Amino acid sequence: MIDFDYAVPTSLSEAVSLMGSNGGSARMLAGGTDLLIMMRAGRRLAKLVVDAKSVPELNELSLTDSGLNLGAATSCKRIWDDEPVVQAYPALNDSASIIGSVQIQGRASVGGNLCNAAPSADCTPTLIVHSGVCTIAGPNGTRQVPVEEFCTGPGTNVLQPGELLVNIKLPSAPTNSGAHYLRFTPRNEMDIAVAGSAAFVQLDESKQNFASARISLAAVAPTPLFAKAAGDLLVGKPVNEESIQQAAEAAKAVAKPITDMRGTVDQRIHLVGVLTARALRKAVERAREA
Amino acid sequence: MAKVIVNAVVNGEPVEFFCEPRQSLLEVIRDVLLLTGTKEGCNDGNCGACNVILDGVLVDSCCVLGVEAQGKTVETIEGLAGTDGDLHPLQRTFLDLTGLQCGICTPGFIVSAKALLESNPNPSEHEIRLGLSGNLCRCTGYDKIVLAVQEAGKMLTEAKR
């Protein structure tokens, strides 16, 4: 690996100052499972690596009355180890427990998964359907960006030089709501999504009709995709297979996948339909159990 | 860049070492601490040959910087056997049940299996295959590794009674 300096800030202001004073040549290190591999391969360069793991705000994982504060450096393992978080946000657990292996999940962070901006990122669709909002800190103060607007292309995001992702806030899940994320991979483990789908649904009091729904897709566009129209068309519809298939078809309509070593355009569009229907059914099941 | 001083506890012993920020924990363990039981396989987080336990968490040491070990505990394969040379039950069952052939993946498998058994002392075959999915072996076909882990789990559970 090419030489770099290493700093361990212990406060957010110190981290912001380190990132800001080094312009675009500083990189935040959380789990390192993407960053260090890419730096070794020469695909990312840094003069300064700033370790995120001693900054309290970046490592917060707390459930409050208003929802979940998910510090950007929080590892996947901390999520699946935290029973109240798993209970409150089972779809987040769905995502965090399928990224890489146990040894990857011990280090890899949800915020890193988002910042890495892979179209196939497993956490991002879940954060999108939960209406997550990113807090970004930089030399000019802090700003908020909805998760669905964070990624701008494969490997790129809205962070400007000197900025860093502080946390992702998920609002508390409303009553009669449920969510699920799933993906298709040829191997059971240690694989990257050919396609993935996350669904969030809120049912009415009778639990027979959709009150609201959000759907997001992985690996079928240059960024994780928010399929807004597919979720919106469910509002007011009865919970049945016909509604679910309509939403699945609407999700297929917005998918813009490419053909690559993992799958073809046709296969991926077909998968979007199958996975979205399954994600919706499971989300409904969870909403009815809640 | 200047080397930095790192203080850590490795296999129960406090150690102080110099390393460059760019050196991975794997490089530090092998080249600075001279604990060569930990192996380099893929060097990109796929194969698990470099597995160590960092502050109680199983990690691929190729995906960790050596400087990140500051103030932390590191457990490598060398820390498993007793000080009198008594093998850990996993080392014993891997030998007895031939859970290895060429041996390069073995330290990683054993460290990974140790972490698995600590969180789940009596795993099913499926749980073992899932838990060890971050460790690759191109010799054994895995069956004997699964049997060795199951057997060691039984031995460890028995020993606790």
Side-chain angles (χ1 to χ4, degrees):
Chain A
M1 232 186 289
I2 294 172
D3 260 351
F4 53 81
D5 278 322
Y6 171 78
V8 191
T10 53
S11 72
L12 186 57
S13 58
E14 196 187 343
V16 168
S17 149
L18 283 164
M19 291 297 288
S21 58
N22 284 275
S25 65
R27 292 244 171 222
M28 294 298 294
L29 168 71
T33 56
D34 285 313
L35 179 67
L36 298 180
I37 306 309
M38 286 196 279
M39 284 176 65
R40 193 175 285 137
R43 289 170 56 203
R44 289 271 193 277
L45 292 172
K47 284 185 182 155
L48 174 70
V49 167
V50 180
D51 195 324
K53 293 185 291 296
S54 296
V55 177
E57 291 88 338
L58 298 175
N59 294 276
E60 185 181 356
L61 178 64
S62 62
L63 273 174
T64 66
D65 290 343
S66 56
L68 182 70
N69 276 354
L70 179 55
T74 305
S75 71
C76 291
K77 180 184 193 306
R78 277 186 60 203
I79 288 171
W80 49 251
D81 266 348
D82 193 320
E83 196 51 41
V85 171
V86 171
Q87 288 294 323
Y89 298 93
L92 190 58
N93 183 49
D94 296 337
S95 294
S97 57
I98 57 176
I99 293 180
S101 56
V102 175
Q103 35 281 73
I104 295 294
Q105 290 158 23
R107 291 264 299 172
S109 63
V110 176
N113 195 229
L114 177 58
C115 288
N116 192 50
S120 57
D122 289 309
C123 286
T124 311
T126 298
L127 300 174
I128 289 173
V129 298
H130 272 296
S131 307
V133 175
C134 306
T135 308
I136 295 168
N140 303 319
T142 61
R143 61 188 178 114
Q144 315 276 321
V145 174
V147 176
E148 59 264 31
E149 292 169 18
F150 186 84
C151 299
T152 53
T156 59
N157 60 43
V158 298
L159 292 179
Q160 298 298 308
E163 284 190 325
L164 62 98
L165 177 66
V166 179
N167 63 28
I168 304 131
K169 289 186 174 160
L170 305 187
S172 49
T175 50
N176 299 336
S177 71
H180 182 46
Y181 173 77
L182 81 170
R183 66 179 184 187
F184 175 80
T185 54
R187 300 177 66 200
N188 290 334
E189 296 304 322
M190 290 295 281
D191 210 342
I192 293 169
V194 179
S197 181
F200 166 90
V201 301
Q202 185 184 6
L203 307 183
D204 67 4
E205 277 183 21
S206 69
K207 298 193 180 184
Q208 299 304 316
N209 302 289
F210 290 102
S212 70
R214 285 169 73 91
I215 292 166
S216 178
L217 309 172
V220 292
T223 63
L225 196 62
F226 177 34
K228 187 172 185 308
D232 285 350
L233 71 78
L234 285 173
V235 177
K237 289 240 165 67
V239 178
N240 59 29
E241 197 53 31
E242 193 189 338
S243 310
I244 286 172
Q245 287 304 330
Q246 280 175 8
E249 285 301 318
K252 284 166 74 174
V254 295
K256 295 280 179 291
I258 54 168
T259 293
D260 67 8
M261 60 192 254
R262 293 201 176 81
T264 63
V265 166
D266 287 350
Q267 183 195 16
R268 284 183 152 125
I269 288 179
H270 173 73
L271 283 168
V272 164
V274 174
L275 296 172
T276 299
R278 288 183 188 172
L280 281 166
R281 287 187 208 112
K282 182 76 181 178
V284 166
E285 187 187 313
R286 284 176 170 167
R288 286 179 169 162
E289 283 166 1
Chain B
M1 300 290 162
K3 287 192 175 185
V4 289
I5 299 175
V6 176
N7 283 280
V9 175
V10 178
N11 298 327
E13 297 287 326
V15 293
E16 185 176 80
F17 58 84
F18 277 108
C19 77
E20 294 178 58
R22 66 170 174 167
Q23 286 181 291
S24 68
L25 180 60
L26 169 62
E27 289 172 293
V28 166
I29 288 169
R30 288 183 57 85
D31 302 342
V32 179
L33 301 177
L34 304 179
L35 294 169
T36 53
T38 304
K39 304 302 182 193
E40 177 181 325
C42 64
N43 213 24
D44 65 11
N46 272 288
C47 80
C50 65
N51 282 177
V52 301
I53 298 175
L54 179 66
D55 262 3
V57 178
L58 180 70
V59 298
D60 293 316
S61 61
C62 70
C63 299
V64 180
L65 295 176
V67 287
E68 288 183 78
Q70 170 60 38
K72 294 193 161 63
T73 62
V74 182
E75 250 181 288
T76 72
I77 185 69
E78 284 88 349
L80 264 73
T83 42
D84 50 3
D86 272 0
L87 294 183
H88 185 278
L90 278 162
Q91 293 171 309
R92 177 49 57 204
T93 57
F94 267 67
L95 278 172
D96 290 348
L97 300 172
T98 332
L100 72 158
Q101 287 180 30
C102 89
I104 287 287
C105 71
T106 313
F109 261 102
I110 290 180
V111 170
S112 182
K114 178 173 185 278
L116 171 69
L117 292 178
E118 277 167 6
S119 64
N120 181 0
N122 190 20
S124 66
E125 178 186 342
H126 176 75
E127 287 168 333
I128 293 171
R129 288 185 186 274
L130 186 65
L132 299 182
S133 63
N135 295 84
L136 299 182
C137 172
R138 297 293 81 157
C139 300
T140 61
Y142 300 102
D143 285 358
K144 291 177 175 182
I145 292 175
V146 173
L147 291 174
V149 174
Q150 265 177 332
E151 193 58 31
K154 283 181 203 155
M155 285 169 68
L156 284 162
T157 310
E158 286 289 314
K160 275 186 192 152
R161 278 184 190 155

